[in-house]
Amino acid sequence: GDKAFAQFLTDEIKEEKKIQKHKSLPKVSGGWELEVHGTEARLVRKIAGEKITVTFNINNSIPPSADDETQEEQKPDEQEPDLTSTPNFVVEVIKDDTKQTLVLDCHYPEDEVGHEGEEESDIFTIREVSFQPTGESDWKDTNYTLNTDSLDWALYDHLMDFLADRGVDNTFADELIELSTALEHQEYIKFLEDLKSFVKCQ
């Protein structure tokens, strides 16, 4: 059984490498620096008196496909639909002269992705906003967290503009999907390779 499994994985890795769009990770325009730690990625950008970091994790970032039934009937030579990774991402804005960090929790609404030609709508939304003490990795549940579900639209628009002024806009969000998808695929191939070594190990 293990032999057949290893052979299957070898073929699978070959196929995945064939359809891999990016041999190296795509860049995000606008002077963002990328750090990757396993499945977590962080983009950092410094502008006058501020540091902006965007963090996301590719785990569970691929939305479940809506039509599971059709997968069964798929002919083997048909191209599988492209999987797109749309991770939640957290934007932190740190001002040099304050001890606080503004944290905005953003995500891609499932029904928004891929509606071309509509009026300029945002491809991502802000879910929650809070202040966190700068330099502390753990979020404090005791800090007030603003949930945007019941938010005044004018305030919400200002928050979106605030992000856009710092380079977090639709273009950024598109490029983040591209980057995340490439990263996810790279990690998937690495996982298959690790699995193959594991299965072959006696």
Side-chain angles (χ1 to χ4, degrees):
D2 284 4
K3 241 199 200 87
F5 191 9
Q7 186 50 53
F8 167 79
L9 287 167
T10 306
D11 297 342
E12 195 68 11
I13 290 163
K14 224 189 271 139
E15 282 307 302
E16 289 297 331
K17 282 191 167 159
K18 226 188 307 183
I19 60 171
Q20 195 173 13
K21 281 202 191 103
H22 303 279
K23 291 292 169 251
S24 60
L25 294 173
K27 292 258 186 290
V28 176
S29 59
W32 294 90
E33 283 175 30
L34 175 67
E35 301 163 17
V36 179
H37 305 285
T39 58
E40 187 176 88
R42 169 177 298 197
L43 290 157
V44 183
R45 180 173 190 242
K46 292 190 172 80
I47 51 176
E50 291 182 1
K51 176 180 170 189
I52 296 106
T53 64
V54 177
T55 314
F56 64 93
N57 195 317
I58 56 163
N59 280 337
N60 305 319
S61 65
I62 295 187
S65 56
D67 38 33
D68 286 335
E69 290 78 55
T70 54
Q71 300 247 307
E72 309 295 305
E73 302 141 28
Q74 211 176 33
K75 296 180 190 67
D77 55 341
E78 275 181 34
Q79 188 60 49
E80 285 187 23
D82 281 346
L83 295 175
T84 306
S85 160
T86 50
N88 298 342
F89 59 97
V90 174
V91 183
E92 295 175 60
V93 180
I94 303 165
K95 289 196 186 266
D96 292 347
D97 48 4
T98 66
K99 294 280 178 285
Q100 289 199 307
T101 301
L102 184 64
V103 179
L104 301 103
D105 191 353
C106 305
H107 78 139
Y108 295 95
E110 275 168 40
D111 50 352
E112 286 299 320
V113 180
H115 290 320
E116 297 301 316
E118 281 186 13
E119 202 189 324
E120 267 298 287
S121 68
D122 293 304
I123 59 173
F124 70 97
T125 58
I126 302 171
R127 264 206 300 220
E128 291 182 344
V129 188
S130 69
F131 279 110
Q132 297 296 335
T134 299
E136 291 194 23
S137 54
D138 293 334
W139 284 41
K140 290 200 175 358
D141 286 337
T142 51
N143 287 8
Y144 179 75
T145 300
L146 176 71
N147 190 312
T148 56
D149 288 346
S150 52
L151 199 58
D152 175 349
W153 276 107
L155 176 52
Y156 182 82
D157 284 344
H158 277 297
L159 284 168
M160 288 298 271
D161 290 343
F162 177 85
L163 282 181
D165 289 343
R166 281 150 185 83
V168 180
D169 52 14
N170 277 348
T171 306
F172 173 85
D174 267 334
E175 291 179 1
L176 187 103
I177 291 178
E178 185 92 351
L179 168 63
S180 182
T181 302
L183 187 59
E184 203 282 333
H185 198 208
Q186 185 177 293
E187 285 295 316
Y188 175 60
I189 291 172
K190 190 166 154 300
F191 172 78
L192 292 178
E193 285 168 342
D194 291 346
L195 187 58
K196 187 175 93 176
S197 320
F198 186 82
V199 169
K200 284 171 90 166
C201 180
Q202 292 307 328

